[in-house]
Amino acid sequence: MGKIKNIGVLTSGGDAPGMNAAIRAVVRAAIYNGCNAYGIYYGYEGLVNGDIRRLESHDVSNIIQRGGTILKTARCKEFREAEGRAKAYEQIKKFNLDGLVVIGGDGTFSGARELCQEYDVHIVGIPGTIDNDLYGTDYTIGYDTAVNTVVEAVDKIRDTASAHNRLFFIEVMGRDAGFIALRSAVATGAEAVLVPEIQTDVNDLDKYLEHDYKPHKSSGIVIVAEGDKSGGAYMIAEQIAERHPEYDVRVTVLGHIQRGGSPSAFDRVTASTLGVAAVDALLDNQTSIMVGIMNKDIVHVPFNKAIKNSKPLNHNLLGLTEVLSI
Ligand code: F6P
């Protein structure tokens, strides 16, 4: 691969607040370095079908503060097959793309890794998912905003819970990971948190509610990650309500509001930093890596590592919820 001249950027998988800030950073860093920038629409679908357009600096004006993604996103089945990736490579050649920046989660990086193995393409990934479940980076773009959205919603629910002496089970996103649940539980002073990484024991929760919640508290909040193995907020609430008809139990599922909204300052800065870092990495002839942030430093993590390893939950935070919920 010679000198990088044309850089394509796409967003793929679930959207996350801050993706637009990352697109803006990639486009502007490319142009700043004398390259041409191309937007690839609808993720890998646009790469397979050639839905690709040149982007100028003004095309990414006034988007740093917007949620969603101006490039749209999709989960593309065709790209999972070798035939689909062959079509994508045809488009890469047709548009003379020397490098790609893909913004998304582990599904996005798995596809990119396959393409890098099969063809001579240079691809750098930017972690963009509200779930924060990518190994090798402390933060993924969108996570901070999603946690702030949850906190705002839970604070409101706390008001009404307290007014009625109610126990709420609040389900938050996180199909396979409890990062959103754990951080928002600490930030809202939740009574308990249930995450997919730890097997939920209804007896433990019950014991806690009997000894610590019932005697002293006027309201209770249990944050449940959607991927919790007990079957989600409704299921666990039903079990507790059956055991304790005296509790006034309610359930709220926060759902997709967690994926929208204007990105937080933290997400905008992370996205801007990683967008520029991704272009720098491409210009440095790197490929098949994710750019991330560890202990405030920019790091390069091979796709293989980012996809295969699972990121552990912060055990200090887990300990905090136990200590602070008495
Ligand atoms: O990966 C991000 C995420 O928001 C998960 O937390 C959630 O399980 C999933 O996407 C929902 O996906 P969809 O929008 O396709 O229902």
Side-chain angles (χ1 to χ4, degrees):
M1 174 78 60
K3 202 176 167 318
I4 301 267
K5 187 72 191 151
N6 299 318
I7 295 179
V9 56
L10 62 81
T11 48
S12 161
D15 65 321
M19 279 183 163
N20 280 326
I23 295 165
R24 169 181 177 270
V26 170
V27 169
R28 294 210 166 149
I31 294 169
Y32 180 86
N33 283 289
C35 300
N36 304 313
Y38 289 82
I40 301 160
Y41 290 77
Y42 295 96
Y44 291 124
E45 220 165 273
L47 195 58
V48 170
N49 301 325
D51 193 354
I52 299 171
R53 275 166 264 169
R54 176 95 178 256
L55 293 177
E56 302 297 345
S57 182
H58 62 81
D59 291 315
V60 291
S61 291
N62 205 11
I63 65 167
I64 194 168
Q65 76 281 23
R66 283 169 55 191
T69 156
I70 60 156
L71 293 180
K72 309 283 187 172
T73 185
R75 295 188 170 106
C76 177
K77 278 199 188 122
E78 205 178 348
F79 191 75
R80 287 187 208 144
E81 308 297 330
E83 229 171 86
R85 292 193 294 276
K87 282 193 198 165
Y89 185 60
E90 285 308 308
Q91 298 298 336
I92 289 173
K93 281 197 299 187
K94 185 173 154 196
F95 283 86
N96 286 318
L97 298 178
D98 310 303
L100 295 183
V101 176
V102 297
I103 307 169
D106 56 354
T108 305
F109 296 167
S110 299
R113 181 188 55 175
E114 298 290 307
L115 199 66
C116 286
Q117 280 166 359
E118 293 164 348
Y119 302 98
D120 181 24
V121 288
H122 277 203
I123 309 183
V124 171
I126 296 178
T129 161
I130 63 163
D131 291 346
N132 198 33
D133 58 349
L134 276 167
Y135 178 87
T137 185
D138 288 336
Y139 298 103
T140 59
I141 295 164
Y143 170 60
D144 183 67
T145 308
V147 168
N148 282 306
T149 301
V150 171
V151 168
E152 206 184 317
V154 174
D155 286 350
K156 288 178 178 159
I157 292 170
R158 177 72 84 176
D159 290 343
T160 173
S162 177
H164 285 268
N165 291 356
R166 280 178 172 158
L167 172 63
F168 269 82
F169 289 81
I170 302 176
E171 189 171 295
V172 301
M173 276 189 168
R175 202 171 14 207
D176 307 305
F179 293 97
I180 295 177
L182 181 55
R183 199 165 182 81
S184 52
V186 173
T188 56
E191 275 55 44
V193 57
L194 308 181
V195 292
E197 292 86 343
I198 297 169
Q199 187 64 43
T200 297
D201 186 335
V202 186
N203 295 320
D204 284 349
L205 179 63
D206 193 13
K207 240 186 270 163
Y208 160 74
L209 291 171
E210 274 297 282
H211 293 127
D212 290 308
Y213 162 67
K214 204 165 123 189
H216 326 289
K217 301 205 176 195
S218 68
S219 65
I221 301 283
V222 179
I223 306 271
V224 185
E226 66 173 322
D228 176 67
K229 303 289 182 292
S230 61
Y234 277 103
M235 205 86 105
I236 192 100
E238 207 177 294
Q239 291 178 53
I240 293 294
E242 261 171 29
R243 291 177 184 213
H244 296 280
E246 73 278 16
Y247 294 168
D248 194 359
V249 173
R250 291 291 186 278
V251 178
T252 303
V253 176
L254 294 183
H256 285 78
I257 61 161
Q258 294 162 89
R259 285 243 296 265
S262 181
S264 65
F266 185 87
D267 273 330
R268 296 181 198 193
V269 174
T270 305
S272 302
T273 305
L274 292 180
V276 173
V279 170
D280 285 348
L282 279 177
L283 295 175
D284 203 24
N285 256 326
Q286 308 225 27
T287 185
S288 207
I289 57 152
M290 171 190 87
V291 288
I293 297 185
M294 287 286 258
N295 302 319
K296 301 201 170 86
D297 288 330
I298 293 172
V299 290
H300 292 174
V301 186
F303 280 149
N304 259 337
K305 268 195 175 176
I307 297 160
K308 278 197 190 140
N309 298 321
S310 56
K311 179 152 115 189
L313 279 182
N314 180 331
H315 278 264
N316 291 336
L317 284 191
L318 272 172
L320 278 190
T321 49
E322 202 177 319
V323 173
L324 299 177
S325 61
I326 54 170

